[in-house]
Amino acid sequence: MNILYSIAFMTGLAGSFHCVGMCGPIALALPVGKLSFFQATLSRILYNAGRILTYSTLGMAFGYFGSSFFVAGFQQQFSIFMGLLVFLFIFPNRIVAWSPFQKITHYLTNSFRKVFPIQSPIGFLVLGILNGLLPCGLVYVALAGAAASSTPTQGAIFMALFGLGTAPMMFSVSILPKFLSLNLRQKINKFLPIYTFCLAIFFVVRGLNLGIPYLSPKFEKQTATRTIPVCHTIKKN
């Protein structure tokens, strides 16, 4: 499980360059101009905490979904399926361009407009929570990993680490808008499909049950146990 957690953090870290392009404008538009340095910093922390809270909640739900396959003994098949699913998100921008995702984005954008004027800790936290719900191909890749983690708790931890991986870049850009140039972001984003491809291969290989430590460990079949009541009889003398 440690390797999955490492992958979760690395996915967030590698994908944070993509996040800057997608969610960076929201972070830059946070209404912190009239706040003190301490208040502005706290507001940015709460904003990122809201994102991570949403990711963790989604990870718990997907972990619960994946756990049913593990209990049923379909660990291998489910991991392979998740790997194949990740292949669809090699170019994440194409996924979120789908009409249903556009409708979700439109609804959340209207919600952002209502919350932005609220310059309070709760307001910044809510902005982060809403941001975590924005359609994002990279988040869906991470959720596939959360589903393959086998339990709701592990799914929540997986997504929390993913969110933490995105936090340093998002926090830095919100403080220093010119911290990362557009040209450099575009160059780095070219490697994101390669990383996603490798991640998909990992989940497929993991499901092949090759007995390779950390990479493709042997899955133990879940067996249901049944307790048979023992009836005691009292012999009469």
Side-chain angles (χ1 to χ4, degrees), residues 3-112:
I3 189 171
L4 278 182
Y5 290 160
S6 299
I7 286 174
F9 184 78
M10 288 301 298
T11 300
L13 198 61
S16 60
F17 299 98
H18 169 77
C19 293
V20 168
M22 297 295 292
C23 303
I26 299 174
L28 289 171
L30 291 176
V32 296
K34 297 181 180 180
L35 301 180
S36 66
F37 176 78
F38 174 78
Q39 290 174 326
T41 301
L42 178 61
S43 299
R44 293 185 176 102
I45 292 174
L46 288 171
Y47 166 76
N48 283 284
R51 291 191 308 110
I52 295 171
L53 178 61
T54 298
Y55 295 153
S56 300
T57 304
L58 291 173
M60 182 178 294
F62 274 75
Y64 178 80
F65 170 73
S67 67
S68 60
F69 290 90
F70 276 67
V71 171
F74 295 110
Q75 302 99 314
Q76 294 174 247
Q77 295 89 335
F78 187 70
S79 184
I80 293 173
F81 173 75
M82 286 293 104
L84 295 175
L85 189 63
V86 169
F87 276 115
L88 298 177
F89 297 102
I90 288 179
F91 299 100
N93 289 337
R94 296 182 182 179
I95 298 298
V96 297
W98 191 32
S99 178
F101 289 137
Q102 291 298 313
K103 292 179 180 178
I104 295 173
T105 302
H106 179 72
Y107 174 78
L108 290 173
T109 301
N110 290 332
S111 299
F112 278 124

Side-chain angles (χ1 to χ4, degrees), residues 12-13 76 92 99 116 118 121 137 154 158 172 178 188 192 196 210 215 226 229:
L13 198 61
Q76 294 174 247
S99 178
F116 256 108
I118 306 175
Q154 291 172 353
F158 187 98
S172 299
K178 297 181 180 180
I188 295 174
L192 190 58
T196 306
L210 300 176
L215 180 61
R226 183 177 62 180

